[in-house]
Amino acid sequence: MKILVLVKEIIDTNSKIVFNKQKKLDESQVKWVVNLYDEYALEEAIRIKEQFGGEVVIYSVGNDRTKDTLNYIMSMGADRAVLIKSELTDAKSVSEILAKQIREKDADFDLILAGWIGIDWNRGQVPGRVSSVLEVPFVNVVIDIDINGKIVTCEKEGESSNEIIDVQLPALITVQRGINEPRYPSVLSIMDNTEKKIEIVDNIDQSTTKKAIIKIEPEKNRKKTYMINESDPELAVKMLMKKMIADKVM
Amino acid sequence: MSCDVLVIVEHNEGRLKNVSSEILSFFGKIATDNGVKVVAFIFGDHISEKLYCDIGKLGIREIVSHVNNELDEQPGLVAGMIADLAKKVKPKLIVMANTVKSRDSAPMIAQKLDIEMFSDILNIDYKKTVINLARLVYGGKAIEKIKLLNQQALITVRPNVLGNDENEAFIPTITKLKTNELPRTQTYLTKAKITKEKVQKPINEADVIIAIGRGLRRVEDLIMVNDLARVVNGVIGSTRPVVDMGFVRRSHQIGQSGRSVSPRLAILLGISGQIQFVAGISKAKTIIAVNKDSKATIFKSADYGIVGDIYSIVPILTRELKKLKLQNR
């Protein structure tokens, strides 16, 4: 089986998000990691490969720095990677770049796996868009995958109920936390200095779509907290109720 | 038929979803005040006259509807249908609710129409010539401000952020779409639905949320939390560790690797305030936090804080809120 995994390198949102005087994000303070949900996707791909044999190929849109992150994450057990260098970060462009490269290099894929959302930008668009361009069925936010020949049975997170969905391969499936426990990258593999098979592609921006104007600003903090430090719980609750009624919250 | 704004309406069991009512009343007001043409699209099965009426009451004059009971399970077909409609009515803005359903179809719709999409919108400033939008990024630490100048785009709107406007009611004109029988496709087959034991409201649509953290020591403590939830009509959510321990469903996990929510009121019990959790709750209108540690970082993110033992505070709070509720009857 040929399994492709869409991986995004993101700012570690645990790191200090600092804005400089020009209100621009200070990237020197920032750590770069693999998007959490993409780790689950990669782990799932490797498990499927372990079950059925085949190849796991990572696709990622990034820049020079992304190579280090990919080197690290490939040590979980991916066979090769395609890193497309581009300054473009909007979901539509990234999706079209990925789909184009997949069509050119690995059009005979059986399955594409991806994390369902990126925790940096909270968009959740790229997988659905890629499935649309590649014209394959799309199952979103899945917590269990079971492959039987050409049919994949997925348990999908629904609204008030989970759904069991069958799709035919080739397909694109996004994964949700809880589908598996990602393994740690093999230490031996990380220490192995032989270059991992990462193909680097330069993307030439050919899009003509007019894009929205985007600005990022720091989020304002909440105003001062009304603290109740009263040892008698009855009194404490009374004080809270009184204040909230006065503030018209209740 | 053409329009400025196309609103995709979600409904459940014969009623409009709250988030759809919010979106419809928001754009209903804009339609009346500014001569903006708004069309609502509703689809699925069980679309009653009452639903059309409810949409009209929110200030909407035109509805397009498609009755079909197979669409529910087929995001790909839904995406194709909405994209086709958008090609006919050419709205500058397509508005959906940010829900479990829309997250499947919205990206496909946007790609089919070759347009940008912005999800989980918290704020809309609408003018015919320029639309300003806001959403949270970087785990809630930053705001992304988006300016649309005369280009077509799709947005999904977070529940509980637009509020409800009072508008002039209309008797809407209804255009019923007749599409050819939808292709019977083997590519996406819903075989079964596993109903979760207690059918809870999706947490991101809840008006009031009670969130619990590791301060809750045993699963039996959930009874105490349930009592509080019942009095305030709240939905129970939690931090990631509590989900990992099996006390709360993953779909009700709040935070960076869970849901982002904007309830009117959030009561946080025994939560220390890790940034990964705060990222998901920071947009709640009012936050009350209870923690026995006065130095807990959660208090920085709260409007009201009680330093105290949740086992003492919660039952008293439940009792007092019940009293207040009865008084206000």
Side-chain angles (χ1 to χ4, degrees):
Chain A
M1 280 194 73
K2 182 184 279 195
I3 308 145
L4 313 183
V5 185
L6 307 182
V7 168
K8 186 183 184 188
E9 184 191 37
I10 64 168
I11 288 174
D12 183 359
T13 48
N14 287 329
S15 48
K16 266 192 163 301
I17 304 291
V18 178
F19 287 82
N20 60 24
K21 288 201 181 72
Q22 291 80 34
K23 274 204 187 176
K24 284 225 177 278
L25 182 69
D26 184 354
E27 292 202 0
S28 69
Q29 305 259 10
V30 145
K31 192 167 155 250
W32 294 88
V33 296
V34 168
N35 177 39
L36 172 70
Y37 290 103
D38 298 347
E39 276 188 52
Y40 296 117
L42 182 53
E43 171 64 29
E44 197 63 21
I46 293 164
R47 288 187 188 196
I48 294 170
K49 177 180 116 165
E50 286 169 350
Q51 193 181 357
F52 295 101
E55 196 188 12
V56 171
V57 188
I58 291 175
Y59 271 77
S60 188
V61 177
N63 53 35
D64 280 312
R65 177 204 59 231
T66 313
K67 195 154 172 277
D68 294 333
T69 302
L70 290 185
N71 260 317
Y72 175 77
I73 209 69
M74 283 176 75
S75 306
M76 278 169 67
D79 297 285
R80 58 183 168 88
V82 177
L83 168 60
I84 305 122
K85 294 205 302 186
S86 173
E87 290 303 306
L88 298 171
T89 54
D90 66 283
K92 184 169 181 295
S93 303
V94 167
S95 306
E96 287 164 1
I97 290 168
L98 288 168
K100 178 168 182 281
Q101 292 300 322
I102 289 170
R103 270 213 176 114
E104 279 176 27
K105 298 176 160 57
D106 287 295
D108 58 341
F109 67 86
D110 293 293
L111 178 63
I112 303 177
L113 294 178
W116 79 273
I117 197 163
I119 61 176
D120 55 349
W121 290 77
N122 185 37
R123 293 187 299 210
Q125 291 183 46
V126 166
R129 285 183 181 267
V130 171
S131 81
S132 184
V133 178
L134 295 177
E135 292 176 318
V136 293
F138 171 59
V139 193
N140 202 17
V141 197
V142 163
I143 61 168
D144 192 70
I145 291 174
D146 191 18
I147 303 178
N148 270 304
K150 275 283 190 186
I151 304 288
V152 186
T153 303
C154 311
E155 185 175 346
K156 170 190 161 42
E157 198 181 82
E159 266 194 346
S160 52
S161 54
N162 284 355
E163 293 163 5
I164 309 295
I165 311 280
D166 270 0
V167 284
Q168 240 173 295
L169 296 176
L172 194 155
I173 300 173
T174 70
V175 302
Q176 168 64 296
R177 192 164 189 281
I179 190 171
N180 57 44
E181 278 298 322
R183 68 198 67 194
Y184 289 102
S186 136
V187 174
L188 288 175
S189 183
I190 297 169
M191 281 167 52
D192 180 355
N193 282 324
T194 57
E195 276 290 288
K196 303 283 187 318
K197 298 198 202 94
I198 302 177
E199 181 187 345
I200 301 183
V201 178
D202 281 301
N203 180 70
I204 305 150
D205 179 15
Q206 289 168 331
S207 77
T208 51
T209 324
K210 184 171 178 193
K211 298 213 181 93
I213 299 164
I214 310 259
K215 260 192 329 187
I216 310 287
E217 287 176 6
E219 163 73 320
K220 290 187 221 84
N221 283 320
R222 213 164 266 266
K223 63 184 198 314
K224 206 168 187 318
T225 316
Y226 179 82
M227 287 297 296
I228 298 165
N229 227 316
E230 168 57 60
S231 55
D232 176 1
E234 289 280 349
L235 198 48
V237 172
K238 217 178 224 102
M239 288 168 71
L240 176 71
M241 299 289 295
K242 191 169 177 209
K243 183 75 168 83
M244 290 201 301
I245 292 168
D247 289 347
K248 296 198 171 58
V249 170
M250 292 284 169
Chain B
M1 187 205 305
S2 77
C3 65
D4 299 299
V5 181
L6 176 64
V7 176
I8 311 300
V9 177
E10 287 195 38
H11 57 109
N12 196 23
E13 292 175 357
R15 302 178 59 189
L16 292 175
K17 277 198 173 174
N18 283 339
V19 56
S20 287
S21 297
E22 289 163 6
I23 295 169
L24 289 166
S25 78
F26 180 88
F27 284 101
K29 184 169 183 8
I30 286 170
T32 309
D33 291 354
N34 305 75
V36 169
K37 185 139 189 244
V38 179
V39 170
F41 178 50
I42 187 166
F43 63 93
D45 60 0
H46 303 129
I47 301 175
S48 60
E49 289 302 313
K50 180 179 186 300
L51 269 179
Y52 295 138
C53 232
D54 290 342
I55 296 173
K57 282 193 193 139
L58 295 168
I60 304 296
R61 291 179 224 221
E62 283 202 63
I63 301 177
V64 174
S65 85
H66 181 59
V67 180
N68 182 302
N69 61 8
E70 285 175 2
L71 287 170
D72 210 41
E73 335 262 287
Q74 298 267 9
L77 294 182
V78 168
M81 175 185 61
I82 294 174
D84 285 344
L85 177 63
K87 282 176 190 158
K88 290 200 190 90
V89 301
K90 299 187 176 49
K92 265 288 170 316
L93 189 66
I94 303 166
V95 187
M96 300 177 76
N98 184 13
T99 61
V100 166
K101 282 223 149 58
S102 75
R103 71 187 178 191
D104 292 352
S105 58
M108 295 193 279
I109 297 166
Q111 191 59 32
K112 282 179 199 288
L113 295 173
D114 201 29
I115 61 178
E116 289 193 287
M117 170 182 153
F118 302 98
S119 54
D120 203 28
I121 295 296
L122 300 173
N123 199 280
I124 305 174
D125 170 17
Y126 180 95
K127 295 186 187 55
K128 264 201 188 188
T129 49
V130 55
I131 305 171
N132 282 298
L133 307 164
R135 57 191 300 280
L136 284 181
V137 295
Y138 297 143
K141 292 178 185 168
I143 305 177
E144 183 183 11
K145 290 200 169 161
I146 300 143
K147 194 190 285 283
L148 296 173
L149 295 166
N150 205 39
Q151 71 247 64
Q152 193 178 33
L154 187 155
I155 66 173
T156 72
V157 181
R158 190 186 276 204
N160 291 323
V161 298
L162 290 182
N164 285 291
D165 286 298
E166 287 274 324
N167 295 325
E168 189 187 339
F170 292 98
I171 299 173
T173 53
I174 301 157
T175 307
K176 296 198 179 159
L177 273 190
K178 278 191 187 68
T179 56
N180 299 327
E181 204 175 276
L182 290 165
R184 194 150 289 278
T185 169
Q186 282 306 305
T187 57
Y188 189 109
L189 178 67
T190 304
K191 289 201 308 195
K193 287 194 179 178
I194 306 171
T195 313
K196 302 169 185 174
E197 294 99 39
K198 287 194 195 88
V199 178
Q200 276 214 341
K201 205 179 193 169
I203 194 152
N204 72 328
E205 297 174 31
D207 192 46
V208 179
I209 292 177
I210 318 283
I212 59 177
R214 277 194 288 199
L216 249 89
R217 295 191 285 270
R218 310 151 308 185
V219 73
E220 299 86 77
D221 302 337
L222 282 173
I223 299 171
M224 172 182 81
V225 177
N226 251 312
D227 287 344
L228 175 60
R230 223 166 328 150
V231 171
V232 296
N233 238 330
V235 172
I236 297 174
S238 78
T239 61
R240 201 204 73 210
V242 173
V243 169
D244 288 345
M245 287 192 288
F247 291 9
V248 167
R249 275 179 211 297
R250 202 165 291 286
S251 57
H252 286 246
Q253 178 185 324
I254 297 167
Q256 203 166 267
S257 63
R259 313 303 301 272
S260 288
V261 294
S262 302
R264 182 180 47 87
L265 175 65
I267 304 177
L268 314 181
L269 307 173
I271 291 177
S272 59
Q274 306 267 35
I275 189 72
Q276 295 94 322
F277 168 77
V278 174
I281 200 85
S282 67
K283 278 304 190 186
K285 194 139 181 282
T286 303
I287 295 180
I288 304 169
V290 183
N291 195 303
K292 63 174 188 243
D293 178 6
S294 61
K295 294 201 179 67
T297 44
I298 193 66
F299 290 123
K300 287 204 193 88
S301 307
D303 298 294
Y304 306 91
I306 295 186
V307 180
D309 181 349
I310 50 174
Y311 294 98
S312 314
I313 300 286
V314 173
I316 299 171
L317 185 60
T318 305
R319 187 196 71 209
E320 291 301 309
L321 288 169
K322 205 180 273 185
K323 255 197 245 167
L324 188 66
K325 205 173 167 186
L326 291 170
Q327 273 171 24
N328 288 338
R329 281 266 162 84

